[in-house]
Amino acid sequence: MPIVKNVSRAVSQLLQSSGCGCGISIVPVRCIGVSPRQVASDASFHSVSFAESDHPRVLITGGLGQLGVGLAKLLRKRFGKNNVILSDIRKPVDNVFYSGPFIYADILDYKNLREIVVNNRITWLFHYSALLSAVGEANVPLARAVNITGLHNVLDIAAEHNLRLFVPSTIGAFGPTSPRDPTPDLCIQRPRTIYGVSKVHAELMGEYYHYRYGLDFRCLRYPGIISADSQPGGGTTDYAVQIFHDAMKTGKFQCNLKPDTRLPMMYIDDCLRATLEVMEAPAEALSMRTYNISAMSFTPEELAQEVQKHVPELHVTYSVDKVRQAIADSWPMNFDDRNARRDWGWKHDYDLPELVTTMFSFLGSDSRIAQAN
């Protein structure tokens, strides 16, 4: 693999400009061996199941992104504060730092990451470090380093130390030749973004490590995730978060996708609960390593109409970003998640009306909402 030049400067600029919580520190990328380090070719691994241990010891990489902090809060409530370690390369805000264990972890530094796993007796690893779709297209070498080389490090460490490994995938793992309405778990996947390509790579590598080395790899394909406690981080579905902030602050929202662009979406509480549920599911219940999960599917126009029930004077305009629109047009319109619902009992709680009401409740009241109610 060629050395990625000036990557430290690039990631610093990206973190400052996009708010991306990719959770990595970039160093010149060395060639990484294709087989797990210190793993015999005939080795077989079996993770300790949840029932066989008091509590898992958890590490979350890329923990300061959209999902990491919320996941840590959920897992600490479930397993105890000191059993869940949040990690990133950025300095956390005070409330995150004091809410539980936090450490610096660079996913491209194999030795350091391995030491963290060993010294903290980690048994579960949630790997959230990644550059998202739009940010990745702006810097492909950086996305390739973070999303692929970093994944290889995590896979090797997880295999070597018998970890239960969760790596999220995405609607971006599909492409324009995939069936879009609905999109099944198994179908043609030919994404046209480096983000999507890296996620297909992660799905296949995780499945390979499972069958080749016995790695307990688990993966969910997330739809667009909507949350009130984080800023957009460079994703194509970020309009569905931005509209709430703009409605509260200015009463004006400019959408960068066409009004009829339908995409699958999910409220963050459903997403985090699904992640915990699939990790706790008995291994024998899983018929596959990667599952679609879904909750709702809507267009920018449908979301705006629901938001306007709370903020009637919200003025919505459309200025289409050609890059993001092309990405969205290649993604699923609806997810078929029947296998997740059958195998481990997945069931969402939030539809569009509940989502919008919850977002405004979280963000707080202002005069426009009070008048509308």
Side-chain angles (χ1 to χ4, degrees):
M1 178 180 294
I3 293 178
V4 180
K5 299 180 179 180
N6 297 324
V7 179
S8 295
R9 184 187 309 163
V11 73
S12 176
Q13 293 171 347
L14 281 169
L15 290 173
Q16 292 173 6
S17 63
S18 69
C20 173
C22 59
I24 47 83
S25 175
I26 302 301
V27 295
V29 178
R30 299 181 300 275
C31 293
I32 305 297
V34 297
S35 59
R37 299 167 180 77
Q38 300 183 9
V39 175
S41 61
D42 60 349
S44 177
F45 297 96
H46 303 281
S47 295
V48 176
S49 70
F50 176 64
E52 295 172 348
S53 61
D54 293 332
H55 287 302
R57 293 277 297 170
V58 179
L59 174 66
I60 303 171
T61 66
L64 297 184
Q66 182 188 25
L67 298 175
V69 173
L71 181 64
K73 182 177 180 180
L74 178 65
L75 297 180
R76 285 166 178 165
K77 184 176 181 180
R78 181 82 170 87
F79 303 128
K81 176 179 176 180
N82 293 323
N83 284 319
V84 179
I85 300 174
L86 199 62
S87 72
D88 209 304
I89 63 157
R90 294 183 294 149
K91 184 172 68 173
V93 296
D94 286 349
N95 68 303
V96 173
F97 183 77
Y98 291 110
S99 65
F102 180 91
I103 58 175
Y104 174 94
D106 176 358
I107 62 165
L108 292 183
D109 186 339
Y110 176 85
K111 183 175 182 291
N112 174 251
L113 193 60
R114 189 167 178 261
E115 287 175 350
I116 291 170
V117 168
V118 171
N119 291 343
N120 294 282
R121 299 179 297 112
I122 299 300
T123 57
W124 285 15
L125 198 159
F126 292 82
H127 178 55
Y128 278 105
S129 298
L131 260 65
L132 302 183
S133 55
V135 174
E137 290 307 288
N139 194 329
V140 172
L142 177 61
R144 188 177 65 232
V146 176
N147 296 10
I148 296 177
T149 303
L151 170 78
H152 292 177
N153 288 344
V154 168
L155 284 169
D156 286 354
I157 291 168
E160 180 183 357
H161 296 286
N162 305 341
L163 307 186
R164 181 171 295 183
L165 174 64
F166 178 85
V167 178
S169 190
T170 168
I171 55 175
F174 298 97
T177 56
S178 304
R180 299 186 65 209
D181 191 17
T183 303
D185 284 302
L186 300 176
C187 65
I188 294 172
Q189 292 178 255
R190 292 294 182 272
R192 292 183 176 175
T193 66
I194 186 61
Y195 177 60
V197 168
S198 69
K199 287 303 184 180
V200 174
H201 179 77
E203 294 175 15
L204 294 176
M205 287 295 289
E207 185 171 331
Y208 173 75
Y209 269 57
H210 171 70
Y211 289 110
R212 181 67 176 85
Y213 302 111
L215 174 65
D216 192 349
F217 173 85
R218 305 182 183 204
C219 177
L220 296 178
R221 293 193 189 103
Y222 291 155
I225 305 302
I226 301 174
S227 63
D229 57 352
S230 64
Q231 294 296 320
T236 300
T237 58
D238 280 351
Y239 84 87
V241 176
Q242 191 65 51
I243 188 173
F244 292 97
H245 292 281
D246 290 356
M248 295 286 288
K249 293 177 182 178
T250 67
K252 298 179 181 180
F253 172 65
Q254 185 176 85
C255 183
N256 53 27
L257 295 180
K258 295 178 181 177
D260 61 350
T261 305
R262 183 170 299 279
L263 292 168
M265 299 284 187
M266 179 177 287
Y267 184 57
I268 189 170
D269 285 9
D270 276 344
C271 173
L272 298 178
R273 181 171 53 82
T275 302
L276 175 57
E277 287 177 1
V278 76
M279 283 293 276
E280 289 189 317
E284 59 272 16
L286 305 179
S287 64
M288 55 187 64
R289 293 289 111 190
T290 298
Y291 289 89
N292 293 342
I293 54 169
S294 186
M296 68 194 88
S297 184
F298 55 75
T299 67
E301 186 174 42
E302 290 169 348
L303 176 60
Q305 290 172 355
E306 194 66 36
V307 170
Q308 285 167 338
K309 293 178 182 179
H310 297 259
V311 187
E313 64 272 32
L314 173 65
H315 181 63
V316 179
T317 58
Y318 296 89
S319 179
V320 177
D321 182 308
K322 292 182 179 180
V323 173
R324 295 192 188 216
Q325 186 64 50
I327 292 172
D329 288 342
S330 71
W331 283 359
M333 298 169 66
N334 284 288
F335 259 163
D336 180 349
D337 62 354
R338 286 177 291 179
N339 289 319
R341 294 176 186 268
R342 179 199 66 208
D343 287 0
W344 45 276
W346 163 241
K347 183 179 180 181
H348 71 279
D349 288 335
Y350 292 85
D351 288 313
L352 182 55
E354 293 85 2
L355 163 71
V356 172
T357 299
T358 302
M359 286 289 287
F360 278 124
S361 296
F362 189 97
L363 289 170
S365 301
D366 75 2
S367 59
R368 289 190 296 274
I369 297 175
Q371 292 169 5
N373 289 340

